[in-house]
Amino acid sequence: MGDRSSRAMTSIGEFDYIVVGAGSAGCLLANRLSADPGTRVLLLEAGGRDNYFWIHVPVGYLYTINNPRTDWCYKTDTDPGLNGRAINYARGKVLGGCSSINAMIYMRGQKSDYDHWSSLGNRGWSWDEVLPYFKRVEDFVHGADEFHGAGGEFRVEERRVSWEILDAWRAAAEECGIPKVAEFNRGDNFGNAYFQMNQRRGVRWSATKAFLQPVMNRSNLSVITEAHVKRLNIQSNGETKRATGVEFQVGGDPAQQAVASREVVLAAGAIGSPQLLQLSGIGPRSLLMEFDIPLVHELAGVGENLQDHLQIRMVYKVKNAVTLNQRANSILGRIGMGLEYFLFKTGPLTMPPSQLGAFAKSDPEQPSSNIEWHVQPLSLDQFGSPLHTFPAITPSVCNLRPTSRGYVRIVSKDPMSHPVIRLNYLSTPEDQRVAADAMRFNRRIMNSNALAKYRPEEWKPGVQVQSDADLVHAAGDLGTTVFHPVGTCKMGHDELAVVDDQLRVQGINALRVIDASVMPNIISGNTNAPTTMIAEKGAELILLSQS
């Protein structure tokens, strides 16, 4: 098969590296790869600039998620595990990607996660080997130590608002065997603590601010927004195949192409990267045949192995406590919150969706903590709905190591068509058992002495739900994503592996995937910080290969 770039279209020139996607990984990659002024780098982002006011106010996720200006507004396939529901599936459509709209929680996962990756034959990916990359990019508010870095670009700070009901929940968790700890991110997350966040003095600190804005004036770095990549150009010479560039379109303009003399790097995320590979003829043979896409290279795992954390949002009415429900439903409360933020950059407008977290085992047989709580001093029917008028809290709990697997698959040749996203939540007996056990654990915490003063009343799903089967069904009604899709271009050596441990796409020279899609197994926690680590390590792998 010849090089598709031979077709007549406007060329914007040749670059050493082309990076597709300016999210958490892409912004960092553009920074590192363009550090040498003699190296030409092109960064293509399908979304727009991050100049929307609500991106920068931490609570602005309420206005950026489900907003087509900043969110791709994907929707999942209907899911039997969710009792036939389809759910909204936010992905960042803006410079900074998901780091511009996410919960800002800085979480690395656990030591055992990365040691497991290494045990699968992925050299260089154990906890001890990846920790230096976490530290290298970090600017930790308390300074450098054995586990944290200072002076890097990615700012990590503590919360800037307190709630009495959350302090009480911490005490309740401790009463139930989950000790208070100063912080997570030291390898073993067992315990409960307030989340640390990617903020700087009460303002969201996205990948754009951290990695891209400081280097935008480099003459060797070109950044094009609203540039939708249609396909990769692959040159075939006998059995050898090589990525030579990309075809892309900006708005309604004619298609353009760019040439990469060294490498093309996909950093479009766990949805975008497999979609683009499939559109380019790299993926499962049967899927490509279905849409009459010429097979460039067969890789059965492209788009498979999709994993995500399903959070079960149990809601409890409380008394004798102030929650965000009361403050947000009061005109004076809203005015007060706004003034506090604009005068001091403190208060509820600095809040991520969840401030408080906890990690524990759902049952004693688990090798390490396998469930995580995101505790919120608020409640609502679903994301985007108004807060309830009564005081309440939502101690959401999720299975950190789900065994359910889904997929991402194109639905046509049209690059603008959203792919099918199928999660298959709660599709295994193991995941169903963990869901039931986690909900019962939640009830033990909420019924503890430390919370008695607040007279918690289980509103959802309700105390009448008791059997395993009923709890699993309730989990299907209450469950929703924590927006942690990974694994669709997995790193490894098995039949579903897409990249090797150098993040090179198998069978295609000069092509890598460097984003959350390469995780072979989902990490035990929030996924944004691990994505920046993958990018930092990936950039080093690229540069070492050229030296």
Side-chain angles (χ1 to χ4, degrees), residues 54 57-60 199 202 334 337-338 341-342 346-351:
W54 285 111
V57 180
V59 81
Q199 292 185 11
R334 291 196 296 272
M337 290 189 295
Y341 182 76
F342 288 106
T346 59
L349 268 66
T350 68
M351 284 174 54

Side-chain angles (χ1 to χ4, degrees), residues 509-531:
N509 294 334
L511 178 62
R512 298 190 205 230
V513 179
I514 303 180
D515 57 30
S517 70
V518 305
M519 296 185 191
N521 294 95
I522 195 167
I523 59 99
S524 302
N526 308 70
T527 53
N528 191 58
T531 300

Side-chain angles (χ1 to χ4, degrees), residues 164-165 168 318-321 448-456:
E164 177 185 312
I165 189 68
V318 294
K319 298 185 183 299
N320 307 314
S448 65
N449 292 330
L451 284 169
K453 167 186 173 182
Y454 305 99
R455 297 163 58 188

Side-chain angles (χ1 to χ4, degrees), residues 213-470:
Q213 285 182 0
V215 301
M216 285 283 278
N217 62 346
R218 288 177 179 169
S219 60
N220 62 323
L221 173 62
S222 300
V223 180
I224 304 178
T225 56
E226 299 183 12
H228 201 108
V229 176
K230 302 172 67 177
R231 64 180 58 84
L232 310 175
N233 290 324
I234 310 295
Q235 187 177 66
S236 298
N237 184 8
E239 294 299 313
T240 303
K241 303 180 182 74
R242 178 183 178 86
T244 60
V246 301
E247 295 179 15
F248 66 97
Q249 194 160 8
V250 179
D253 294 341
Q256 304 177 70
Q257 67 174 337
V259 174
S261 61
R262 294 185 183 176
E263 294 195 23
V264 176
V265 184
L266 296 187
I271 309 302
S273 287
Q275 178 188 21
L276 187 52
L277 287 172
Q278 291 168 6
L279 289 168
S280 305
I282 303 169
R285 180 187 296 269
S286 59
L287 177 67
L288 303 181
M289 289 178 60
E290 181 179 352
F291 299 109
D292 195 29
I293 295 174
L295 180 68
V296 172
H297 186 69
E298 183 173 10
L299 280 177
V302 174
E304 303 301 303
N305 191 49
L306 176 61
Q307 302 159 57
D308 188 19
H309 291 139
L310 178 73
Q311 65 172 350
I312 303 168
R313 295 178 55 83
M314 300 176 74
V315 177
Y316 286 80
K317 294 182 177 180
V318 294
K319 298 185 183 299
N320 307 314
V322 175
T323 70
L324 188 61
N325 287 12
Q326 295 108 296
R327 296 192 67 178
N329 282 309
S330 158
I331 294 176
L332 289 178
R334 291 196 296 272
I335 292 172
M337 290 189 295
L339 286 173
E340 182 179 1
Y341 182 76
F342 288 106
L343 291 174
F344 307 109
K345 292 296 186 290
T346 59
L349 268 66
T350 68
M351 284 174 54
S354 303
Q355 285 183 277
L356 176 62
F359 290 78
K361 298 178 181 181
S362 61
D363 69 77
E365 301 304 314
Q366 296 292 332
S368 62
S369 296
N370 71 310
I371 52 176
E372 177 186 6
W373 280 265
H374 294 81
V375 189
Q376 304 168 326
L378 55 88
S379 67
L380 38 70
D381 286 334
Q382 61 183 5
F383 191 87
S385 300
L387 296 177
H388 295 138
T389 55
F390 49 80
I393 66 170
T394 304
S396 300
V397 62
C398 69
N399 178 1
L400 291 171
R401 293 193 289 270
T403 55
S404 299
R405 297 291 183 267
Y407 54 77
V408 173
R409 296 173 185 166
I410 55 172
V411 297
S412 77
K413 286 183 174 181
D414 182 3
M416 302 303 292
S417 295
H418 287 183
V420 169
I421 304 171
R422 179 68 177 267
L423 275 304
N424 292 323
Y425 290 123
L426 298 172
S427 60
T428 66
E430 295 85 357
D431 289 359
Q432 294 170 13
R433 182 174 64 253
V434 170
D437 290 345
M439 294 172 77
R440 290 192 175 100
F441 203 148
N442 221 354
R443 284 173 169 171
R444 291 200 301 274
I445 294 172
M446 295 305 300
N447 290 330
S448 65
N449 292 330
L451 284 169
K453 167 186 173 182
Y454 305 99
R455 297 163 58 188
E457 174 191 348
E458 185 177 312
W459 191 58
K460 287 186 177 182
V463 294
Q464 73 280 1
V465 178
Q466 291 293 330
S467 70
D468 283 358
D470 287 346

Side-chain angles (χ1 to χ4, degrees), residues 27 31 49-51 56 95 205-218 221:
C27 287
N31 178 305
R49 297 278 173 177
D50 63 335
N51 54 4
H56 309 289
L95 284 177
W205 199 246
S206 66
T208 319
K209 291 177 182 170
F211 305 111
L212 191 58
Q213 285 182 0
V215 301
M216 285 283 278
N217 62 346
R218 288 177 179 169
L221 173 62

Side-chain angles (χ1 to χ4, degrees), residues 82-133:
L82 300 183
N83 302 326
R85 290 187 297 132
I87 57 175
N88 295 327
Y89 212 65
R91 297 283 87 195
K93 184 187 176 185
V94 64
L95 284 177
C98 291
S99 75
S100 292
I101 67 172
N102 70 359
M104 297 160 286
I105 292 171
Y106 183 80
M107 183 69 62
R108 296 172 176 169
Q110 301 181 85
K111 179 180 187 296
S112 58
D113 300 326
Y114 302 99
D115 290 347
H116 178 62
W117 291 7
S118 179
S119 75
L120 298 174
N122 297 304
R123 300 161 299 171
W125 292 93
S126 70
W127 169 260
D128 290 339
E129 291 168 305
V130 303
L131 181 58
Y133 298 98

